[in-house]
Amino acid sequence: MKIVIHPDFANTADFIRQLPKSFEHEGELLYDKRNKVKRYRVNNEVLTVKRYKRPNVIQRIVYTFFKKSKTERAYLFAGMLRKRGFDTPHEVAYIEQKRNGLFLDGYFVSLNCDYPPLSELLRKRDFDRQPANELAAYMVRLHEKGVLHGDLNLTNILYHTDDKGSYQFTLIDTNRSKFKSPTKKECLENLKRLTHSKALLRYIVMQYAILRGWNPRECALEVFRYLLQFEQKRHRKRKLQSWIGIKK
């Protein structure tokens, strides 16, 4: 078993080491679908622990020999985001368990963040233009700083307001992110799943394009083309999985 603990949280070591044994029957359950997330209070710190869905055998081989696991990437990417000036829950530790020499289970531990997701704020049909505008500017800064969030949607962007009433954002679920100098195509494609609301997506993309000096209408059309392609691909995949009896 591999355990990595951030130096600033060495006092959580005893808790971290026993996590694989205690995770199922201790802690406050926050989420239990594809992955399982729990909250704990440890030495006056409130921690969030995410256990990722157990990978299939091919993924286990990949994570053992060829690619960093989601767990390790979540830990590393948190620090990389902060260095670029973006808020994300501070990494505390990660755990990798193996069976027969192959990766089996992964746990990522971070400081807890109680900010609500943007999906709650912007879900109304007549959405508030201020947070939408500030989110567009945030997306510009994120891309210009070389960050492509791998699962960019409003549930993975938490928010609060500062003393001046400006919106501040916190990124979560960042383990699939990429750090590079993205092309215009990559930037626009990254926005395609930001929200299920077509009106909100169109508005944010057009504001984003204006800030970047790009044609707003053309950019909106391009993002919706990427979204359509994504939805068609996902539909074909689900149809194939259903046909051969594979559950998600």
Side-chain angles (χ1 to χ4, degrees), residues 96-154:
E96 293 181 348
Q97 288 183 296
K98 291 184 178 182
R99 178 186 292 170
N100 299 325
L102 294 180
F103 179 92
L104 182 67
D105 286 318
Y107 300 79
F108 171 57
V109 186
S110 67
L111 291 183
N112 183 68
C113 181
D114 286 327
Y115 298 144
L118 265 176
S119 54
E120 295 182 4
L121 179 68
L122 293 173
R123 63 187 171 188
K124 295 181 180 179
R125 186 178 183 87
D126 185 23
F127 55 86
D128 189 338
R129 296 303 193 263
Q130 182 188 344
N133 290 337
E134 293 189 28
L135 177 61
Y138 180 79
M139 291 294 101
V140 170
R141 189 163 65 90
L142 198 70
H143 289 163
E144 289 183 338
K145 291 286 187 178
V147 180
L148 291 171
H149 192 296
D151 190 9
L152 188 62
N153 63 74
L154 296 184

Side-chain angles (χ1 to χ4, degrees), residues 209-243:
I210 290 170
L211 292 171
R212 302 212 67 172
W214 299 342
N215 185 297
R217 185 175 178 276
E218 289 180 0
C219 288
L221 287 172
E222 190 167 350
V223 169
F224 276 94
R225 185 169 69 251
Y226 293 141
L227 177 60
L228 179 60
Q229 292 170 351
F230 172 80
E231 290 177 341
Q232 290 174 337
K233 182 179 179 181
R234 182 169 59 179
H235 176 72
R236 290 193 299 268
K237 180 180 178 181
R238 287 177 175 174
K239 190 174 181 180
L240 177 62
Q241 288 175 331
S242 175
W243 182 68

Side-chain angles (χ1 to χ4, degrees), residues 48 64 95 108 135 161 179 200:
T48 298
T64 302
I95 300 171
F108 171 57
L135 177 61
T161 55
F179 297 85
L200 177 60

